Amino acid sequence: MAQTHQTPSGTEKEGHYHILAVEKERIRRMSEQQSAPEQLAVGKSQGGAGATYKVVLFEFENFQGCKAEIFAECKGVTEKGLEKVGSLIVESGPWVGYDRHGFTGEQFVLEKGEYPRWDTWTNSQSSYSLLSLRPLKVDSAEHKLHLFENPKFTGRKMEIVDDDVPSLWGHGFQDRVASVKSLNGTWVGYMYPGYRGQQFIFERGDFKHWNDWEAPAPQIQSVRRVRDMQWHKRGCFILPDPAPAPGPDPDPTPGPPVLPASAGTS
């Protein structure tokens, strides 16, 4: 049966376009209100639209030579056509790099920024290789960490909440850390004070023994939070600026105010 189609008038066309515009605006707002965990899940795609993780690897120092763009875990940089990594740029992250293939060996935290040489992502001086890397899990804007003196969460305990600790000794805790509970956020521990030495990653979970974070000994002397653009605008850890030098003290006994000279009489 034939159907009759009526040509809409100009007023009806305007109403139709208005409805389409309203619907598009509603979809846009729903997309902007997408929760952070959902955005993180979308970002784990292989470089698709809205990817959260991206790092560019270069074969030589100062961003020279062959390069490879990485959007997900990479068990070996040789799979991307690189024999080694001499420099890198983290466009979005954070990431953790390893000095061996298959996510093993010494660990390096890679937050948003540029790394022109190997000594910009590590200062342990024990390894300059970076052969595998993967995105770091960032589950929360809050950070909470428990450090224990002995394995299996026994002995003295230290709790750190939403803070960076450049020296455990300065907070009354020894350098022996044999087990860790990461309750919120992602952390990195260092073997020496001032965020120096070998690095150890603590994503959310329980670490009953220092072997669980591949440490050679139960020694951690500084701990800090791992930042991310998803939760923090700066997106990376930056050392605080030194306090400004104090200015001169004001004169405690100012003199009497000087009165303006009166005009002479002619």
Side-chain angles (χ1 to χ4, degrees), residues 71-88:
F71 300 94
E73 63 179 28
C74 176
K75 294 183 178 180
V77 298
T78 53
E79 299 175 359
K80 304 298 181 180
L82 299 178
E83 293 184 3
K84 62 178 182 178
V85 176
S87 55
L88 60 92

Side-chain angles (χ1 to χ4, degrees), residues 114-171:
E114 297 183 351
Y115 300 80
R117 281 174 44 90
W118 66 271
D119 54 5
T120 56
W121 63 73
T122 178
N123 55 26
S124 70
Q125 307 297 325
S126 61
S127 177
Y128 58 87
S129 298
L130 195 159
L131 298 178
S132 59
L133 68 164
R134 64 173 177 85
L136 266 178
K137 300 174 185 177
V138 180
D139 68 328
S140 173
E142 290 76 31
H143 290 76
K144 187 174 183 179
L145 188 74
H146 289 172
L147 306 177
F148 297 87
E149 180 183 11
N150 299 323
K152 298 181 179 180
F153 319 118
T154 58
R156 294 186 62 196
K157 170 186 171 183
M158 179 178 182
E159 180 178 88
I160 307 172
V161 179
D162 291 330
D163 197 10
D164 300 326
V165 181
S167 172
L168 297 186
W169 281 100
H171 287 255

Side-chain angles (χ1 to χ4, degrees), residues 201-266:
I201 305 300
F202 299 104
E203 293 170 295
R204 185 171 181 174
D206 294 345
F207 302 82
K208 297 181 179 180
H209 193 276
W210 65 86
N211 290 339
D212 293 344
W213 61 83
E214 299 186 16
Q219 178 179 333
I220 293 178
Q221 296 192 40
S222 54
V223 176
R224 70 172 178 87
R225 299 161 289 177
V226 176
R227 303 305 189 96
D228 182 86
M229 284 294 291
Q230 177 185 349
W231 306 105
H232 306 91
K233 291 182 179 180
R234 299 196 70 90
C236 60
F237 172 77
I238 297 178
L239 288 173
D241 295 331
D249 294 333
D251 189 350
T253 56
V258 178
L259 299 175
S262 59
T265 58
S266 55

